[in-house]
Amino acid sequence: MTLQNVAIIGGGLAGLSLSLFLNQRNIKTTIYELRSSNITSAGAIMLSPNALKSLDKIGAFDRIKSKGYFFRDVTFRNDEHEYLDAYEMGNADRFGYDALRIYRQVILDELRSMNGEAGVDIIHEKKFSHVVSENDNGVTFAFADGETCTADLLIGADGIHSTVRRYLVSGIKPAFSSVMAVTCAIPTKAVQVPYKPYEMPVSIHGQAGAFVMAPQNAEGSELLAGIQYRTHERTREAWDALFNDKQQLLDIMRADYDTWNPMVKSAIDAVPLDTLAIWPFHTVPKIEKWKSDKGRVIILGDSAHAIPPAAGQGVNQAFEDVHSLSILMGAANQGKVQWNESLDWWQEYRQNRIDRVTSLTNEMNRRRLPGWAGEGETIDSSWLFGVEIDKDVNAWIAEKK
């Protein structure tokens, strides 16, 4: 089987990075994106060493490293600022990279530019509809406007509400975890720290749970601030209404105002209404298969394994997906491995890490809700950040040879 013409559904971080990995292996890609080209993405993401290592492979790290905020630990403190614990999110001495917090739009813009430079077609406002047919020679698929296309491989990188996923498994719906984050962006100078220097990012734990503050631009002049809040599932329309009701979001953030220390109070007092946002934590139940029987349709990233953001690993795991898959695709084209066997191994390899990341995420969620006061062991991130994807995948390929 040769894979020379690949269609990617979804022009987000996973789809854009995958096309760059495949371009290195002389595999032609076309990206189909539902949204228009002028839609922007709000908020920032945390990139840990495992993802930065992958981004470095496609030349993206050098283009973004000056545009975000580097750090190593998130420090956990109680309401009196006493040290509880720390979670290592990066360490250049141990893993080659510190963690990088960066605006999502910044990295989207860079990856889009890189795809343009590589000659990759990104077709916007194109809504994927369904797979028409699949055989040993390829896959034919349709869009909502009635157009059909054919490719050697169709990859669904279309997010938690993936349409491509419906072709592989039926009845899979994202499940709400009963937790959402309420976040905003505040000026760092508005926060009254009790002493200087005060380590950031920080997670301050009080009666109401955790209040998180994290720098999110290169100079550290702006902070993400946020809380996690237990709530009920809503319809899409109700979630949209809540997102647009900035006063209600501020009321949620201020609900336990009197219980917080002066530093947190100063942060809450500085909240700009227009930056308030929500992030409902949805997950995707474990999916039995990420590929079709003939291996011509695949899902990855949030389409296959959406992870809540408490440990900051959702997009990082998507980058691991595309990095590892691209190596296998190159090996299949060289006749070193059988494609379907490769996909079986790939899903097992990736699922094992996703399972461990899910456990880590659950622990971070537990720590951010009311009741945690520092108990439990310090989290060891070495298994997560020390991964060597090229080594792991190439070792399996060598066994097959």
Side-chain angles (χ1 to χ4, degrees), residues 183-260:
T183 65
C184 63
I186 58 175
T188 303
K189 63 183 180 182
V191 178
Q192 299 173 14
V193 296
Y195 52 82
K196 293 183 179 181
Y198 192 89
E199 292 179 337
M200 293 277 188
V202 65
S203 182
I204 298 176
H205 297 257
Q207 295 180 31
F211 193 96
V212 177
M213 286 176 272
Q216 58 182 13
N217 57 354
E219 61 273 18
S221 62
E222 183 179 271
L223 297 175
L224 163 85
I227 61 169
Q228 288 186 192
Y229 174 74
R230 288 198 178 278
T231 187
H232 57 84
E233 175 66 294
R234 293 169 169 82
T235 63
R236 180 65 178 268
E237 293 73 21
W239 282 121
D240 289 344
L242 180 59
F243 173 82
N244 291 318
D245 190 343
K246 304 304 184 182
Q247 185 57 52
Q248 185 177 354
L249 296 182
L250 181 61
D251 291 344
I252 291 172
M253 188 169 277
R254 293 184 61 89
D256 298 287
Y257 182 87
D258 292 337
T259 70
W260 288 113

Side-chain angles (χ1 to χ4, degrees), residues 69-327:
Y69 183 86
F70 282 102
F71 66 99
R72 292 194 173 185
D73 298 331
V74 174
T75 304
F76 302 117
R77 297 187 180 276
N78 66 18
D79 203 48
E80 287 72 46
H81 302 287
E82 296 170 332
Y83 178 89
L84 299 176
D85 199 358
Y87 171 47
E88 186 178 55
M89 300 188 83
N91 187 323
D93 296 327
R94 297 181 65 199
F95 311 117
Y97 306 84
D98 290 336
L100 178 66
R101 186 160 178 82
I102 188 170
Y103 288 115
R104 182 183 291 269
Q105 190 61 45
V106 168
I107 187 169
L108 279 169
D109 288 343
E110 288 296 339
L111 292 177
R112 286 171 183 163
S113 294
M114 292 176 71
N115 273 280
E117 294 161 14
V120 175
D121 289 330
I122 304 176
I123 303 175
H124 289 272
E125 298 183 67
K126 202 68 172 174
K127 184 178 181 180
F128 173 82
S129 174
H130 63 280
V131 172
V132 176
S133 63
E134 180 187 10
N135 56 42
D136 291 336
N137 297 316
V139 55
T140 300
F141 50 98
F143 295 96
D145 61 8
E147 181 184 1
T148 60
C149 296
T150 299
D152 295 334
L153 184 66
L154 175 70
I155 298 179
D158 50 342
I160 191 170
H161 299 289
S162 172
T163 305
V164 178
R165 185 175 63 222
R166 298 174 191 168
Y167 176 69
L168 304 181
V169 289
S170 60
I172 295 291
K173 294 183 178 179
F176 182 53
S177 65
S178 300
V179 175
M180 74 173 183
V182 181
T183 65
C184 63
I186 58 175
T188 303
K189 63 183 180 182
V191 178
Q192 299 173 14
V193 296
Y195 52 82
K196 293 183 179 181
Y198 192 89
E199 292 179 337
M200 293 277 188
V202 65
S203 182
I204 298 176
H205 297 257
Q207 295 180 31
F211 193 96
V212 177
M213 286 176 272
Q216 58 182 13
N217 57 354
E219 61 273 18
S221 62
E222 183 179 271
L223 297 175
L224 163 85
I227 61 169
Q228 288 186 192
Y229 174 74
R230 288 198 178 278
T231 187
H232 57 84
E233 175 66 294
R234 293 169 169 82
T235 63
R236 180 65 178 268
E237 293 73 21
W239 282 121
D240 289 344
L242 180 59
F243 173 82
N244 291 318
D245 190 343
K246 304 304 184 182
Q247 185 57 52
Q248 185 177 354
L249 296 182
L250 181 61
D251 291 344
I252 291 172
M253 188 169 277
R254 293 184 61 89
D256 298 287
Y257 182 87
D258 292 337
T259 70
W260 288 113
N261 62 35
M263 178 180 170
V264 175
K265 287 179 179 177
S266 70
I268 296 174
D269 289 340
V271 172
L273 275 177
D274 63 325
T275 70
L276 280 161
I278 57 172
W279 191 336
F281 293 179
H282 286 88
T283 61
V284 172
K286 185 180 289 189
I287 296 172
E288 181 180 348
K289 57 180 184 176
W290 301 359
K291 70 175 183 71
S292 60
D293 291 340
K294 293 187 178 298
R296 297 291 185 170
V297 181
I298 304 170
I299 55 173
L300 50 71
D302 280 355
S303 304
H305 51 69
I307 305 167
Q313 279 300 303
V315 69
N316 292 274
Q317 291 305 302
F319 287 133
E320 286 192 25
D321 280 358
V322 301
H323 184 174
S324 53
L325 181 65
S326 69
I327 299 171

